[in-house]
Amino acid sequence: MKLVVFDFDSTLMNGETIDILAKAHNVSDEVAAITHRAMSGELDFYESLKKRVSLLKGLAYSKALEIAHSLPLNDGALACVRAFKNQGYKVVCFSGGFHIATDYFAKHLGLDASFANILHHKDSILTGEVGGEMMFADSKGCLLRQLQNLLSIGRENTIVIGDGANDRSMFAYADVRIAFCAKDVLKAEANIIIDKQDLEEIPKALNIPLCKESK
């Protein structure tokens, strides 16, 4: 069995979910500045996540869902995922973002699973609190090791793809480490770097065929 793990924000999706939610709540500048520093490795991920989500307090949950379900995927996302699936890979998403987005697009893309965080809400309004599976800088690495053990998959059969500092922990457990339009802090730990914002470049780099019906 073989495994591919994608980051979601700025990897499968074109942008950061929390930044787009922040724009709808008129706190765009504050959140974007924290996101940039966190993804560049300048801020602790846990603290930055809590601070950013706190700024979303008061946003209608229905509005958050509407935004999360209309996020723009990067070019080639569906073709890339299908190329891996056609080669027998299990394909999952690990995200420091939110299940309201990753679960929706997991179905659309045909992913085997998605792991992310939860935006808490009360009376249909975001409370500004967050919880879930991907709260810490090392969460992706810890979950990857658990998944590898569960599925009996070694690092030699694991591919990880990401763009930011919180992807470094999963890079430690895979032989193929792909930095996709990534921050310098992640490029330094990658063995494949792709700067063209087209996910079809990933299977091409690995000599995995793209299927005509996937394009």
Side-chain angles (χ1 to χ4, degrees), residues 9-187:
D9 292 331
S10 297
T11 302
L12 283 173
M13 192 269 284
N14 183 4
E16 296 287 325
T17 303
I18 196 165
D19 290 350
I20 298 171
L21 291 170
K23 185 176 182 180
H25 199 47
N26 297 316
V27 290
S28 179
D29 290 345
E30 299 96 312
V31 169
I34 299 169
T35 298
H36 177 76
R37 294 185 65 195
M39 292 302 100
S40 298
E42 299 174 18
L43 292 177
D44 174 76
F45 184 79
Y46 174 68
E47 292 299 332
S48 70
L49 178 63
K50 288 200 305 178
K51 187 170 184 179
R52 284 178 289 163
V53 172
S54 72
L55 293 168
L56 298 179
K57 182 178 181 179
L59 178 65
Y61 184 63
S62 60
K63 182 66 174 178
L65 279 176
E66 178 187 340
I67 292 168
H69 293 176
S70 59
L71 294 169
L73 291 173
N74 269 317
D75 289 344
L78 184 58
C80 179
V81 170
R82 285 184 176 174
F84 282 119
K85 297 285 285 185
N86 286 341
Q87 294 297 310
Y89 283 85
K90 293 291 185 182
V91 184
V92 303
C93 170
F94 287 0
S95 177
F98 312 109
H99 275 291
I100 57 172
T102 62
D103 290 355
Y104 177 82
F105 283 101
K107 292 179 181 178
H108 172 70
L109 293 170
L111 304 183
D112 292 290
S114 75
F115 303 87
N117 295 316
I118 298 167
L119 288 171
H120 291 301
H121 56 96
K122 183 178 181 180
D123 299 327
S124 299
I125 301 294
L126 296 189
T127 65
E129 298 176 334
V130 61
E133 304 142 354
M134 294 287 165
M135 293 283 288
F136 302 95
D138 62 350
S139 293
K140 292 183 179 182
C142 292
L143 187 55
L144 177 54
R145 287 297 295 130
Q146 293 177 38
L147 200 56
Q148 287 172 323
N149 289 335
L150 179 66
L151 299 176
S152 298
I153 297 174
R155 61 178 298 135
E156 69 278 3
N157 287 317
T158 302
I159 299 170
V160 294
I161 304 159
D163 76 292
N166 71 320
D167 296 315
R168 287 182 295 179
S169 66
M170 67 176 180
F171 269 38
Y173 300 107
D175 281 359
V176 179
R177 304 175 297 280
I178 301 175
F180 179 78
C181 299
K183 303 291 190 297
D184 288 342
V185 69
L186 193 68
K187 286 182 178 182

Side-chain angles (χ1 to χ4, degrees), residues 180-200:
F180 179 78
C181 299
K183 303 291 190 297
D184 288 342
V185 69
L186 193 68
K187 286 182 178 182
E189 300 185 25
N191 49 26
I192 296 176
I193 296 173
I194 295 174
D195 287 324
K196 183 179 179 181
Q197 199 167 348
D198 184 347
L199 287 161
E200 289 190 15

